[in-house]
Structures are given as C-alpha cells and as structure tokens.
Amino acid sequence: MEHQTPAILCRKALRKLLHRKGLSWTRPTYTLAKGNLDEQKQFEKQMDLIKKKLDHQGDRRCCSSVHR
C-alpha cells in the first residue's frame, strides 16, 4: 500500500482546484441557533393534544382533499 502524506492547501489553491472540477466553495451566510429542548418538548406535547382533539371531533379540513 502506498503511503500518503496529507497535503496542505491554502484557500486560494483549494478554490482553484474545486473550480477546475466544476465545483464551488462558499461560506455559509448564517448559522442556526440551538433550540431549547424544554420548549421543543412542550410544543410537541401541545401539537399532539391538538391533533388528538381534532381526531376526536372528526375535523379533517386540512386533509379533506387527500381523503376524498
């Protein structure tokens, strides 16, 4: 097996290499903030209660076109 040493490329060289291969490299415009796990669990519980309530009432307006 051939032993390979890691190559170190500067950003400019990496961009040129990617461009020759028909690829591009862009930096992210923003990063998403971490969510609050407690708030997310509470939201999921509320949504489950709403879904159950709608199922018990027989209200399926949001899905009526799919089930007909």
Side-chain angles (χ1 to χ4, degrees):
M1 181 182 263
E2 183 179 327
H3 177 69
Q4 296 179 349
T5 58
I8 299 174
L9 295 174
C10 66
R11 289 183 184 192
K12 187 175 181 180
L14 180 59
R15 280 192 156 140
K16 286 182 177 184
L17 175 67
L18 289 172
H19 184 70
R20 283 195 305 261
K21 299 290 184 181
L23 302 171
S24 64
W25 173 39
T26 59
R27 302 185 83 194
T29 55
Y30 62 92
T31 57
L32 297 175
K34 289 274 189 177
N36 184 328
L37 291 178
D38 293 332
E39 289 180 6
Q40 185 176 358
K41 287 179 183 180
Q42 183 181 1
F43 174 79
E44 289 174 355
K45 286 180 184 179
Q46 288 176 344
M47 288 303 295
D48 287 340
L49 288 173
I50 292 169
K51 289 177 188 178
K52 287 179 185 178
K53 185 177 179 181
L54 289 175
D55 283 344
H56 288 294
Q57 292 176 351
D59 188 0
R60 296 192 181 269
R61 282 180 262 160
C62 67
C63 303
S64 61
S65 62
V66 175
H67 293 291
R68 289 185 182 177

